[in-house]
Amino acid sequence: DSGVTQTPKHLITATGQRVTLRCSPRSGDLSVYWYQQSLDQGLQFLIQYYNGEERAKGNILERFSAQQFPDLHSELNLSSLELGDSALYFCASSEAGATYEQYFGPGTRLTVT
Amino acid sequence: ILNVEQSPQSLHVQEGDSTNFTCSFPSSNFYALHWYRWETAKSPEALFVMTLNGDEKKKGRISATLNTKEGYSYLYIKGSQPEDSATYLCASSNQGGKLIFGQGTELSVKP
């Protein structure tokens, strides 16, 4: 158990809908990262937050947004969902920035039908 | 090299064999190199984070080296065991914090 929690574990929704994925980092970790793993691609970095502020952005679509709250938990919002958004979404946390080990949560499996 | 590349794509070894994989990454604007171990149906598990040229890290039978000038890192597993079977991922980070992952090396260790 990494200490990072993600909810829900599974999510099935229809195209055009909007969903929110939630992540609670390990106690004491200030950075939260979001990743997407789809079948045809490897692990893709989406976005990083550090202590409530956006720190780095990867291949995140404009339909997706994220935020980190004062209690350091983070939410990833996915809107106008398409079939291609079906994927495993991981959250990871670390003490600070890119030179620290990242601890991954169990992931949320999103299926868009 | 614009992307992070790993080789080989897959590797099948016998128990007790030692093995190594390569991760190539853009050397310009390099900040940190991460290695992860990812077992099927589980989450990636951090192995090492390295930043300095010539850095060498070890955890049990697994070790890694880093060459930031030429843009490569090696991961070594000594005396492979069946429980080492997993996909080994590397990811390179620039100073901005953006991480780019390789496609991974899938290791299968047969008893």
Side-chain angles (χ1 to χ4, degrees):
Chain A
D1 184 3
S2 66
V4 178
T5 60
Q6 288 187 249
T7 56
K9 200 167 182 177
H10 300 278
L11 197 49
I12 301 174
T13 189
T15 54
Q17 294 299 304
R18 173 190 166 95
V19 297
T20 297
L21 313 184
R22 183 187 167 101
C23 168
S24 293
R26 285 188 330 156
S27 176
D29 284 358
L30 296 177
S31 275
V32 169
Y33 305 78
W34 286 98
Y35 298 94
Q36 180 193 55
Q37 195 227 350
S38 46
L39 277 174
D40 56 345
Q41 293 193 16
L43 203 55
Q44 300 286 320
F45 166 66
L46 295 178
I47 198 163
Q48 178 204 356
Y49 279 83
Y50 176 77
N51 205 21
E53 294 191 2
E54 183 183 305
R55 175 63 67 89
K57 220 166 185 176
N59 303 322
I60 188 165
L61 299 172
E62 284 192 15
R63 300 183 286 108
F64 296 1
S65 65
Q67 54 184 329
Q68 187 179 26
F69 295 86
D71 67 352
L72 300 177
H73 90 271
S74 178
E75 291 181 356
L76 179 67
N77 300 296
L78 315 176
S79 61
S80 303
L81 285 167
E82 302 174 0
L83 295 177
D85 297 327
S86 296
L88 188 53
Y89 291 85
F90 285 109
C91 163
S93 74
S94 70
E95 284 183 42
T99 58
Y100 290 82
E101 286 187 357
Q102 294 185 24
Y103 297 86
F104 279 72
T108 292
R109 169 75 64 186
L110 173 67
T111 303
V112 183
T113 60
Chain B
I1 300 171
L2 297 178
N3 293 316
V4 175
E5 297 173 0
Q6 290 187 246
S7 62
Q9 195 171 358
S10 64
L11 199 51
H12 299 267
V13 302
Q14 289 294 130
E15 181 175 356
D17 288 349
S18 292
T19 186
N20 65 83
F21 330 128
T22 305
C23 172
S24 301
F25 54 87
S27 53
S28 62
N29 207 20
F30 168 84
Y31 195 57
L33 192 284
H34 298 245
W35 279 103
Y36 297 91
R37 180 172 178 275
W38 195 357
E39 286 183 73
T40 305
K42 293 189 177 180
S43 305
E45 174 195 347
L47 288 173
F48 307 111
V49 181
M50 295 186 289
T51 58
L52 300 175
N53 186 45
D55 218 356
E56 190 168 333
K57 294 210 172 178
K58 190 175 179 182
K59 193 180 278 190
R61 293 179 292 99
I62 305 177
S63 60
T65 60
L66 180 67
N67 183 321
T68 61
K69 293 183 179 178
E70 295 181 42
Y72 65 84
S73 174
Y74 293 136
L75 186 80
Y76 301 92
I77 302 179
K78 186 177 176 182
S80 303
Q81 300 296 308
E83 57 264 31
D84 295 329
S85 297
T87 295
Y88 291 82
L89 280 177
C90 71
S92 174
S93 168
N94 61 18
Q95 287 197 353
K98 181 177 175 179
L99 282 130
I100 302 174
F101 282 83
Q103 292 297 312
T105 292
E106 190 176 344
L107 174 67
S108 173
V109 183
K110 291 188 178 178

